[in-house]
Amino acid sequence: MRMTPAKALLAGSSLAAAVTLHCGRDGGCSAGSSPDDYAPPQPTFEPTQVPDELPVQWALLRQADVFVYVEDSLFVEGGWQPQTIWSSYLVTWVERDDGDITQIEQACELVPGPVYIQTVFGTRIMETVIPDAVYANMPLAEWHARVTFPPDGEEGSSPVYQLFQSDYGPQYWVLGARLDDPVSESCPLSADDPAEWDQDQDNHPGVTVEQWIDGELDTLCYICSRTLYTFEPGTVFFDEGAHQITGSMVDVLIDQTRYGSDSEDFSGDDPMTEWNPEGRSWYWLIGLDGDATCDDVKAVFDLPDMPVP
């Protein structure tokens, strides 16, 4: 396997892909959506890579379908509501001495999709926005990966990509805390815990996220969030001018702690989230030319627009 950067065939090429929002099996759909809308996005792009050379940089998108528990109240019909969460990364591959790969991930964007809440006044759309300041202080993640090629002369087989679990267990992503063992340790329950981390450096515990209701900023919440991912091996293929890798996500665990908010009326209860095994959870990598940045990754994946002030 050659790990040298792939040569550009077309300078200034444009990579773009659409991600489709969907609603869940229990209702609460937005106008025009249906429970059958979930599907991996279909990319459109210009030729950028040479087929026989694997790139060293990739745009990575992960989609996790989950259920979020909405508390019942006088005006809100509580229960489990569907949500889709996207996260994108700039991936760099470095060849190891044993021939395997060290996969270095730089987090570029985390986009929680909308949650549709049923109230006595109709459906309200709740959206969460992660501040850009979080990514500036997001440590790089390093994982052990491998690409296994079929034997010479074997027809009809594709290379297989495998991302091995970390020394602790599944891959993880933690916002607002520094944990010694991110797989076994949950988010700190108190802002006084030494593991709490003001990651966006705004003098509030954890990270500050924006809660929007029907397109208007409602509350600023101070949280810790920990996510664990488990993946199946994926298939490496060359299609429409670029290397791609696709595979399934087979488990997601999310726990969160809310340390407070800027609203006296906002509940401080920790949200409950469960993986939706009947949803579509997957990962998708598209090869990039060398010296790519997170801006290039964002140009590849056209994630849903979240509210802005």
Side-chain angles (χ1 to χ4, degrees), residues 24-27 64-72 76-85 111-118 126-128 211 225 252 254-256 258 266 269-277:
R25 58 186 178 182
D26 295 326
D65 269 358
V66 300
F67 288 112
V68 178
Y69 190 77
V70 177
E71 294 290 340
D72 203 5
V76 174
E77 299 176 18
W80 291 98
Q81 294 296 325
Q83 183 181 36
T84 300
I85 301 173
V111 179
V115 177
Y116 299 94
I117 301 175
Q118 309 302 317
M126 182 178 70
E127 293 165 293
T128 301
Q211 297 283 352
S225 181
V252 179
I254 300 175
D255 80 270
Q256 294 185 30
R258 282 186 180 144
F266 189 81
D269 294 338
D270 296 335
M272 293 187 293
T273 304
E274 290 187 357
W275 180 52
N276 176 8

Short mmCIF file of all heavy atoms in Angstrom, two decimals, residues 24-27 64-72 76-85 111-118 126-128 211 225 252 254-256 258 266 269-277:
data_model
loop_
_atom_site.label_atom_id
_atom_site.label_comp_id
_atom_site.label_asym_id
_atom_site.label_seq_id
_atom_site.Cartn_x
_atom_site.Cartn_y
_atom_site.Cartn_z
N GLY A 24 -38.69 10.28 12.94
CA GLY A 24 -38.61 8.95 13.53
C GLY A 24 -39.90 8.18 13.46
O GLY A 24 -40.92 8.64 12.97
N ARG A 25 -39.86 7.00 14.02
CA ARG A 25 -40.99 6.09 13.92
C ARG A 25 -42.15 6.51 14.80
O ARG A 25 -43.27 6.05 14.63
CB ARG A 25 -40.53 4.69 14.32
CG ARG A 25 -39.94 4.62 15.72
CD ARG A 25 -39.36 3.27 16.03
NE ARG A 25 -38.77 3.24 17.37
CZ ARG A 25 -38.16 2.19 17.85
NH1 ARG A 25 -38.05 1.11 17.14
NH2 ARG A 25 -37.64 2.22 19.07
N ASP A 26 -41.89 7.38 15.79
CA ASP A 26 -42.93 7.76 16.75
C ASP A 26 -43.56 9.11 16.45
O ASP A 26 -44.13 9.75 17.32
CB ASP A 26 -42.33 7.79 18.17
CG ASP A 26 -41.88 6.41 18.60
OD1 ASP A 26 -42.54 5.44 18.22
OD2 ASP A 26 -40.87 6.32 19.31
N GLY A 27 -43.45 9.58 15.22
CA GLY A 27 -44.07 10.86 14.88
C GLY A 27 -43.14 12.01 15.16
O GLY A 27 -41.96 11.87 15.37
N ALA A 64 -25.13 9.24 13.65
CA ALA A 64 -25.68 8.40 14.71
C ALA A 64 -27.15 8.73 14.90
O ALA A 64 -27.50 9.89 15.13
CB ALA A 64 -24.91 8.61 16.02
N ASP A 65 -27.99 7.73 14.78
CA ASP A 65 -29.42 7.90 15.05
C ASP A 65 -29.68 7.50 16.50
O ASP A 65 -29.35 6.38 16.92
CB ASP A 65 -30.26 7.02 14.12
CG ASP A 65 -30.66 7.75 12.85
OD1 ASP A 65 -30.33 8.94 12.73
OD2 ASP A 65 -31.29 7.13 11.98
N VAL A 66 -30.29 8.40 17.26
CA VAL A 66 -30.53 8.17 18.68
C VAL A 66 -31.95 8.57 19.03
O VAL A 66 -32.69 9.13 18.21
CB VAL A 66 -29.53 8.97 19.55
CG1 VAL A 66 -28.10 8.56 19.23
CG2 VAL A 66 -29.71 10.48 19.36
N PHE A 67 -32.34 8.27 20.27
CA PHE A 67 -33.58 8.78 20.86
C PHE A 67 -33.22 9.65 22.06
O PHE A 67 -32.37 9.29 22.87
CB PHE A 67 -34.50 7.64 21.31
CG PHE A 67 -35.14 6.88 20.19
CD1 PHE A 67 -34.79 5.56 19.94
CD2 PHE A 67 -36.09 7.47 19.37
CE1 PHE A 67 -35.37 4.85 18.91
CE2 PHE A 67 -36.68 6.78 18.34
CZ PHE A 67 -36.32 5.46 18.10
N VAL A 68 -33.87 10.79 22.17
CA VAL A 68 -33.67 11.72 23.28
C VAL A 68 -34.96 11.75 24.10
O VAL A 68 -36.06 11.85 23.54
CB VAL A 68 -33.34 13.13 22.78
CG1 VAL A 68 -33.19 14.10 23.93
CG2 VAL A 68 -32.06 13.11 21.94
N TYR A 69 -34.81 11.65 25.43
CA TYR A 69 -36.00 11.66 26.28
C TYR A 69 -36.41 13.08 26.61
O TYR A 69 -35.62 13.88 27.12
CB TYR A 69 -35.76 10.89 27.57
CG TYR A 69 -37.03 10.67 28.36
CD1 TYR A 69 -37.94 9.70 27.97
CD2 TYR A 69 -37.33 11.46 29.48
CE1 TYR A 69 -39.12 9.51 28.67
CE2 TYR A 69 -38.50 11.27 30.18
CZ TYR A 69 -39.40 10.29 29.77
OH TYR A 69 -40.57 10.12 30.46
N VAL A 70 -37.66 13.41 26.29
CA VAL A 70 -38.22 14.73 26.58
C VAL A 70 -39.11 14.60 27.82
O VAL A 70 -40.02 13.75 27.86
CB VAL A 70 -39.04 15.25 25.38
CG1 VAL A 70 -39.69 16.59 25.72
CG2 VAL A 70 -38.15 15.39 24.15
N GLU A 71 -38.83 15.42 28.81
CA GLU A 71 -39.60 15.37 30.05
C GLU A 71 -41.06 15.81 29.82
O GLU A 71 -41.32 16.78 29.11
CB GLU A 71 -38.96 16.26 31.11
CG GLU A 71 -37.58 15.80 31.57
CD GLU A 71 -37.65 14.53 32.39
OE1 GLU A 71 -38.73 14.22 32.91
OE2 GLU A 71 -36.60 13.85 32.50
N ASP A 72 -41.97 15.07 30.44
CA ASP A 72 -43.39 15.42 30.38
C ASP A 72 -43.66 16.62 31.29
O ASP A 72 -43.04 16.77 32.35
CB ASP A 72 -44.22 14.23 30.85
CG ASP A 72 -45.64 14.29 30.31
OD1 ASP A 72 -45.94 15.19 29.51
OD2 ASP A 72 -46.44 13.42 30.70
N VAL A 76 -46.12 19.96 27.64
CA VAL A 76 -45.31 19.13 26.74
C VAL A 76 -45.68 17.67 26.88
O VAL A 76 -45.80 17.16 28.00
CB VAL A 76 -43.79 19.32 27.03
CG1 VAL A 76 -42.96 18.35 26.18
CG2 VAL A 76 -43.38 20.75 26.78
N GLU A 77 -45.87 17.00 25.75
CA GLU A 77 -46.09 15.56 25.74
C GLU A 77 -44.73 14.88 25.73
O GLU A 77 -44.04 14.85 24.72
CB GLU A 77 -46.90 15.17 24.50
CG GLU A 77 -48.29 15.81 24.44
CD GLU A 77 -49.02 15.48 23.16
OE1 GLU A 77 -48.61 14.49 22.49
OE2 GLU A 77 -49.97 16.19 22.81
N GLY A 78 -44.32 14.36 26.88
CA GLY A 78 -43.00 13.78 27.01
C GLY A 78 -42.86 12.42 26.34
O GLY A 78 -43.83 11.85 25.86
N GLY A 79 -41.64 11.92 26.34
CA GLY A 79 -41.36 10.61 25.75
C GLY A 79 -40.09 10.65 24.93
O GLY A 79 -39.40 11.66 24.84
N TRP A 80 -39.77 9.50 24.34
CA TRP A 80 -38.55 9.38 23.54
C TRP A 80 -38.79 9.94 22.15
O TRP A 80 -39.72 9.53 21.46
CB TRP A 80 -38.11 7.92 23.46
CG TRP A 80 -37.63 7.38 24.77
CD1 TRP A 80 -38.33 6.64 25.67
CD2 TRP A 80 -36.32 7.56 25.32
NE1 TRP A 80 -37.56 6.33 26.75
CE2 TRP A 80 -36.31 6.88 26.56
CE3 TRP A 80 -35.17 8.21 24.90
CZ2 TRP A 80 -35.18 6.85 27.38
CZ3 TRP A 80 -34.04 8.17 25.71
CH2 TRP A 80 -34.05 7.50 26.93
N GLN A 81 -37.94 10.87 21.75
CA GLN A 81 -38.05 11.50 20.43
C GLN A 81 -36.78 11.22 19.62
O GLN A 81 -35.68 11.21 20.16
CB GLN A 81 -38.23 13.01 20.57
CG GLN A 81 -39.55 13.42 21.21
CD GLN A 81 -40.74 13.02 20.35
OE1 GLN A 81 -40.68 13.04 19.14
NE2 GLN A 81 -41.83 12.63 21.01
N PRO A 82 -36.90 10.98 18.30
CA PRO A 82 -35.73 10.66 17.48
C PRO A 82 -34.86 11.88 17.23
O PRO A 82 -35.33 13.01 17.15
CB PRO A 82 -36.35 10.14 16.18
CG PRO A 82 -37.67 10.83 16.11
CD PRO A 82 -38.16 10.96 17.52
N GLN A 83 -33.58 11.62 17.08
CA GLN A 83 -32.63 12.67 16.73
C GLN A 83 -31.47 12.04 15.95
O GLN A 83 -31.08 10.91 16.22
CB GLN A 83 -32.08 13.37 17.98
CG GLN A 83 -31.13 14.54 17.67
CD GLN A 83 -30.57 15.20 18.91
OE1 GLN A 83 -30.30 14.51 19.91
NE2 GLN A 83 -30.41 16.51 18.89
N THR A 84 -30.97 12.78 14.98
CA THR A 84 -29.78 12.37 14.24
C THR A 84 -28.64 13.31 14.59
O THR A 84 -28.82 14.53 14.63
CB THR A 84 -30.04 12.40 12.73
OG1 THR A 84 -31.10 11.51 12.41
CG2 THR A 84 -28.79 11.98 11.96
N ILE A 85 -27.47 12.74 14.86
CA ILE A 85 -26.29 13.52 15.23
C ILE A 85 -25.19 13.26 14.22
O ILE A 85 -24.85 12.10 13.96
CB ILE A 85 -25.81 13.16 16.65
CG1 ILE A 85 -26.93 13.42 17.67
CG2 ILE A 85 -24.57 13.96 17.01
CD1 ILE A 85 -26.59 12.93 19.07
N VAL A 111 -22.91 18.45 14.76
CA VAL A 111 -24.22 19.02 14.45
C VAL A 111 -25.31 18.08 14.96
O VAL A 111 -25.60 17.06 14.33
CB VAL A 111 -24.40 19.25 12.94
CG1 VAL A 111 -25.78 19.82 12.65
CG2 VAL A 111 -23.32 20.18 12.40
N PRO A 112 -25.90 18.36 16.12
CA PRO A 112 -27.08 17.60 16.55
C PRO A 112 -28.29 18.05 15.73
O PRO A 112 -28.56 19.25 15.62
CB PRO A 112 -27.24 17.97 18.03
CG PRO A 112 -25.96 18.68 18.41
CD PRO A 112 -25.46 19.32 17.15
N GLY A 113 -28.98 17.11 15.15
CA GLY A 113 -30.18 17.45 14.38
C GLY A 113 -31.32 17.89 15.28
O GLY A 113 -31.26 17.78 16.51
N PRO A 114 -32.39 18.40 14.69
CA PRO A 114 -33.52 18.91 15.49
C PRO A 114 -34.27 17.79 16.19
O PRO A 114 -34.28 16.64 15.77
CB PRO A 114 -34.40 19.59 14.43
CG PRO A 114 -34.06 18.92 13.15
CD PRO A 114 -32.61 18.55 13.24
N VAL A 115 -34.90 18.17 17.30
CA VAL A 115 -35.82 17.30 18.02
C VAL A 115 -37.19 17.94 17.95
O VAL A 115 -37.34 19.14 18.25
CB VAL A 115 -35.38 17.12 19.49
CG1 VAL A 115 -36.40 16.27 20.25
CG2 VAL A 115 -34.01 16.48 19.57
N TYR A 116 -38.19 17.17 17.55
CA TYR A 116 -39.55 17.70 17.39
C TYR A 116 -40.35 17.38 18.64
O TYR A 116 -40.59 16.21 18.96
CB TYR A 116 -40.20 17.11 16.14
CG TYR A 116 -39.44 17.47 14.89
CD1 TYR A 116 -38.48 16.59 14.37
CD2 TYR A 116 -39.64 18.68 14.24
CE1 TYR A 116 -37.76 16.92 13.24
CE2 TYR A 116 -38.93 19.01 13.10
CZ TYR A 116 -37.99 18.14 12.61
OH TYR A 116 -37.27 18.46 11.49
N ILE A 117 -40.75 18.41 19.37
CA ILE A 117 -41.43 18.26 20.65
C ILE A 117 -42.92 18.55 20.47
O ILE A 117 -43.29 19.62 19.94
CB ILE A 117 -40.82 19.21 21.70
CG1 ILE A 117 -39.32 18.89 21.88
CG2 ILE A 117 -41.55 19.09 23.03
CD1 ILE A 117 -38.62 19.84 22.81
N GLN A 118 -43.74 17.62 20.93
CA GLN A 118 -45.19 17.80 20.82
C GLN A 118 -45.70 18.55 22.06
O GLN A 118 -45.48 18.14 23.19
CB GLN A 118 -45.89 16.44 20.72
CG GLN A 118 -45.32 15.52 19.65
CD GLN A 118 -45.37 16.13 18.27
OE1 GLN A 118 -46.36 16.74 17.88
NE2 GLN A 118 -44.28 15.97 17.52
N MET A 126 -36.75 21.91 18.59
CA MET A 126 -35.66 22.25 19.47
C MET A 126 -34.34 21.88 18.80
O MET A 126 -34.18 20.76 18.31
CB MET A 126 -35.77 21.52 20.81
CG MET A 126 -34.67 21.87 21.80
SD MET A 126 -34.85 21.02 23.39
CE MET A 126 -34.47 19.33 22.91
N GLU A 127 -33.40 22.83 18.77
CA GLU A 127 -32.10 22.59 18.14
C GLU A 127 -30.99 23.02 19.09
O GLU A 127 -31.14 23.97 19.86
CB GLU A 127 -32.01 23.36 16.82
CG GLU A 127 -32.98 22.84 15.77
CD GLU A 127 -33.15 23.82 14.63
OE1 GLU A 127 -33.70 24.90 14.85
OE2 GLU A 127 -32.73 23.48 13.50
N THR A 128 -29.88 22.30 19.01
CA THR A 128 -28.71 22.59 19.84
C THR A 128 -27.56 22.98 18.93
O THR A 128 -27.28 22.32 17.93
CB THR A 128 -28.31 21.35 20.66
OG1 THR A 128 -29.42 20.96 21.49
CG2 THR A 128 -27.11 21.65 21.54
N GLN A 211 -29.41 26.49 23.04
CA GLN A 211 -30.67 25.79 22.80
C GLN A 211 -31.62 26.75 22.08
O GLN A 211 -31.93 27.83 22.58
CB GLN A 211 -31.29 25.33 24.13
CG GLN A 211 -30.46 24.32 24.89
CD GLN A 211 -30.55 22.92 24.31
OE1 GLN A 211 -31.34 22.66 23.41
NE2 GLN A 211 -29.73 22.01 24.82
N SER A 225 -20.42 16.40 27.76
CA SER A 225 -21.03 15.37 26.92
C SER A 225 -19.96 14.37 26.53
O SER A 225 -18.86 14.74 26.10
CB SER A 225 -21.65 15.99 25.67
OG SER A 225 -22.26 14.98 24.87
N VAL A 252 -23.83 3.17 19.96
CA VAL A 252 -23.50 4.53 20.39
C VAL A 252 -23.94 4.68 21.83
O VAL A 252 -25.05 4.26 22.20
CB VAL A 252 -24.22 5.60 19.52
CG1 VAL A 252 -23.88 7.00 20.00
CG2 VAL A 252 -23.86 5.45 18.06
N ILE A 254 -24.14 7.73 24.81
CA ILE A 254 -23.99 9.16 25.09
C ILE A 254 -24.44 9.43 26.52
O ILE A 254 -25.53 9.00 26.92
CB ILE A 254 -24.83 10.03 24.13
CG1 ILE A 254 -24.39 9.79 22.67
CG2 ILE A 254 -24.69 11.51 24.48
CD1 ILE A 254 -25.24 10.53 21.65
N ASP A 255 -23.60 10.10 27.30
CA ASP A 255 -24.08 10.59 28.60
C ASP A 255 -23.71 12.07 28.71
O ASP A 255 -22.70 12.52 28.17
CB ASP A 255 -23.51 9.77 29.76
CG ASP A 255 -22.09 10.17 30.12
OD1 ASP A 255 -21.15 9.59 29.57
OD2 ASP A 255 -21.94 11.06 30.98
N GLN A 256 -24.57 12.81 29.39
CA GLN A 256 -24.38 14.25 29.53
C GLN A 256 -24.67 14.69 30.96
O GLN A 256 -25.49 14.09 31.66
CB GLN A 256 -25.30 15.02 28.58
CG GLN A 256 -25.01 14.82 27.11
CD GLN A 256 -25.88 15.70 26.24
OE1 GLN A 256 -26.28 16.80 26.63
NE2 GLN A 256 -26.18 15.24 25.03
N ARG A 258 -25.59 18.42 32.84
CA ARG A 258 -25.85 19.86 32.74
C ARG A 258 -25.44 20.52 34.05
O ARG A 258 -25.94 20.17 35.12
CB ARG A 258 -27.34 20.13 32.47
CG ARG A 258 -27.74 19.89 31.03
CD ARG A 258 -29.19 20.31 30.82
NE ARG A 258 -29.62 20.08 29.44
CZ ARG A 258 -30.82 19.69 29.09
NH1 ARG A 258 -31.74 19.48 30.02
NH2 ARG A 258 -31.14 19.52 27.82
N PHE A 266 -35.12 27.25 33.19
CA PHE A 266 -34.68 26.06 32.49
C PHE A 266 -34.34 24.95 33.47
O PHE A 266 -33.60 25.17 34.43
CB PHE A 266 -33.45 26.39 31.62
CG PHE A 266 -33.06 25.27 30.69
CD1 PHE A 266 -33.71 25.09 29.49
CD2 PHE A 266 -32.04 24.41 31.04
CE1 PHE A 266 -33.35 24.06 28.63
CE2 PHE A 266 -31.66 23.38 30.19
CZ PHE A 266 -32.33 23.21 28.98
N ASP A 269 -32.07 19.22 34.73
CA ASP A 269 -32.00 17.76 34.65
C ASP A 269 -31.06 17.34 33.51
O ASP A 269 -31.02 17.96 32.45
CB ASP A 269 -33.39 17.17 34.39
CG ASP A 269 -34.34 17.41 35.55
OD1 ASP A 269 -33.83 17.63 36.66
OD2 ASP A 269 -35.56 17.37 35.35
N ASP A 270 -30.31 16.27 33.77
CA ASP A 270 -29.42 15.73 32.74
C ASP A 270 -30.25 15.01 31.68
O ASP A 270 -31.09 14.16 32.01
CB ASP A 270 -28.41 14.76 33.34
CG ASP A 270 -27.48 15.45 34.32
OD1 ASP A 270 -27.29 16.67 34.19
OD2 ASP A 270 -26.93 14.76 35.21
N PRO A 271 -30.03 15.32 30.39
CA PRO A 271 -30.80 14.65 29.34
C PRO A 271 -30.41 13.19 29.20
O PRO A 271 -29.26 12.81 29.42
CB PRO A 271 -30.45 15.44 28.07
CG PRO A 271 -29.10 16.03 28.37
CD PRO A 271 -29.08 16.29 29.84
N MET A 272 -31.37 12.35 28.82
CA MET A 272 -31.12 10.93 28.58
C MET A 272 -31.16 10.67 27.08
O MET A 272 -32.08 11.12 26.39
CB MET A 272 -32.15 10.07 29.30
CG MET A 272 -32.05 10.13 30.82
SD MET A 272 -33.17 8.94 31.62
CE MET A 272 -34.77 9.63 31.17
N THR A 273 -30.16 9.95 26.59
CA THR A 273 -30.06 9.63 25.17
C THR A 273 -29.75 8.15 25.00
O THR A 273 -28.91 7.62 25.71
CB THR A 273 -28.96 10.47 24.49
OG1 THR A 273 -29.20 11.85 24.70
CG2 THR A 273 -28.89 10.20 23.00
N GLU A 274 -30.45 7.50 24.08
CA GLU A 274 -30.20 6.09 23.79
C GLU A 274 -30.02 5.91 22.30
O GLU A 274 -30.65 6.59 21.49
CB GLU A 274 -31.37 5.21 24.27
CG GLU A 274 -31.49 5.11 25.78
CD GLU A 274 -32.54 4.10 26.20
OE1 GLU A 274 -33.21 3.54 25.29
OE2 GLU A 274 -32.71 3.87 27.41
N TRP A 275 -29.15 4.97 21.94
CA TRP A 275 -28.95 4.64 20.53
C TRP A 275 -30.21 4.04 19.95
O TRP A 275 -30.93 3.27 20.61
CB TRP A 275 -27.78 3.66 20.42
CG TRP A 275 -27.47 3.24 19.01
CD1 TRP A 275 -27.26 4.05 17.93
CD2 TRP A 275 -27.35 1.90 18.53
NE1 TRP A 275 -27.00 3.31 16.81
CE2 TRP A 275 -27.04 1.98 17.14
CE3 TRP A 275 -27.44 0.65 19.13
CZ2 TRP A 275 -26.84 0.86 16.35
CZ3 TRP A 275 -27.23 -0.47 18.34
CH2 TRP A 275 -26.94 -0.36 16.97
N ASN A 276 -30.51 4.38 18.70
CA ASN A 276 -31.65 3.82 17.98
C ASN A 276 -31.15 2.69 17.07
O ASN A 276 -30.64 2.96 15.98
CB ASN A 276 -32.32 4.92 17.15
CG ASN A 276 -33.46 4.37 16.30
OD1 ASN A 276 -33.86 3.22 16.44
ND2 ASN A 276 -33.99 5.22 15.42
N PRO A 277 -31.27 1.44 17.49
CA PRO A 277 -30.73 0.34 16.68
C PRO A 277 -31.47 0.14 15.37
O PRO A 277 -30.97 -0.54 14.47
CB PRO A 277 -30.88 -0.87 17.60
CG PRO A 277 -32.00 -0.52 18.52
CD PRO A 277 -31.91 0.97 18.73
#
